[in-house]
Amino acid sequence: MSAAEPAAAAAVSSLPGVQWLTAPPADSEFTVVLLFQVNCPGCLLFALPALVALGGLVAGRSVSRVAVATAFEDFELNTQANAAALLEHGRLVGESLKAMRAQKPRELFDVSSEAYSLDWSDLSVGTDELVPFSAAAGASDADRARATEILVAGLVAQSKGRLPVEALRAHVASMPPGALPSKVARTFWTHGANGTPTWIVLDRGGRVLFSCTGHVDPADLARQLR
């Protein structure tokens, strides 16, 4: 075990359930995490390139950058296998492929092969754990109980603690099956995310300093990481 591993684990522990496709982030003063979906055109057109661009803006500073493929919808497309294929082969699916075909961004899309050409080399990349929640997703009673707790924790985070846990647990239990996701993404819900792209900034101890959903200007973010 290297001397850096215990400190690195503090940031990684704030990303529960992430299965790493590349090396996990190194010990850093700041860890910038991007939650994205494979079937999310805005994530691939804007958010992931912004995460890459951030690297040049914080060169020489203690900042790690992490991309986590998650899912809160379109579970047949936002899969761990499709995330791995995107990373390894640039394979696009669904609305992301349609958007690339329509916009043809030269720096991101090889028209002949229809492959995504982001430079992932300086990023730590992983996939979010998806816990089955519905019978259709093959959920056992244990899966459903675990997914319920993850979902309730996410709703508590979204409400910033204003709503009591028991009330939210009862609310989830009372909802019809069609109103609930078939799977629950552990890191996504643990951080109370409500869409993608979601940005999370962690300090060296793994504490959340900042989070938001939507567009982030990498230059603005770089100025905040001081």
Side-chain angles (χ1 to χ4, degrees):
M1 179 179 292
S2 71
E5 283 182 354
V12 171
S13 68
S14 294
L15 304 173
V18 173
Q19 299 176 356
W20 297 104
L21 301 175
T22 65
D27 176 30
S28 301
E29 183 177 0
F30 300 107
T31 299
V32 178
V33 181
L34 173 66
L35 302 181
F36 75 98
Q37 293 187 111
V38 174
N39 190 40
C40 170
C43 295
L44 273 63
L45 283 166
F46 305 112
L48 282 165
L51 185 65
V52 170
L54 179 65
L57 297 170
V58 297
R61 289 188 246 166
S62 182
V63 178
S64 293
R65 291 164 296 137
V66 175
V68 177
T70 188
F72 67 91
E73 61 184 355
D74 302 330
F75 294 104
E76 73 283 2
L77 294 174
N78 292 316
T79 66
Q80 294 174 331
N82 281 345
L86 178 68
L87 171 67
E88 295 170 12
H89 308 297
R91 191 175 74 195
L92 294 157
V93 298
E95 296 303 315
S96 295
L97 176 57
K98 292 178 184 177
M100 292 291 172
R101 284 172 172 168
Q103 299 194 30
K104 298 181 176 63
R106 291 182 183 179
E107 69 282 6
L108 293 173
F109 185 60
D110 184 310
V111 176
S112 60
S113 65
E114 294 198 325
Y116 189 57
S117 54
L118 187 81
D119 181 4
W120 303 86
S121 59
D122 291 331
L123 304 179
S124 293
V125 184
T127 60
D128 206 349
E129 179 186 5
L130 300 179
V131 181
F133 197 18
S134 70
S140 65
D141 289 344
D143 288 332
R144 186 169 177 82
R146 183 165 174 248
T148 297
E149 292 309 304
I150 294 169
L151 184 58
V152 168
L155 294 174
V156 170
Q158 287 179 3
S159 74
K160 300 188 184 303
R162 290 189 294 267
L163 299 177
V165 172
E166 290 307 319
L168 289 170
R169 188 175 288 114
H171 173 67
V172 170
S174 69
M175 294 176 71
L180 295 167
S182 61
K183 300 176 184 179
V184 171
R186 188 176 173 194
T187 301
F188 179 91
W189 282 102
T190 295
H191 286 281
N194 56 19
T196 55
T198 285
W199 298 81
I200 304 164
V201 177
L202 305 172
D203 69 7
R204 194 183 297 274
R207 292 174 289 271
V208 177
L209 300 176
F210 165 83
S211 66
C212 72
T213 298
H215 174 69
V216 166
D217 184 323
D220 288 344
L221 182 54
R223 283 190 287 271
Q224 295 181 50
L225 299 176
R226 297 188 182 277

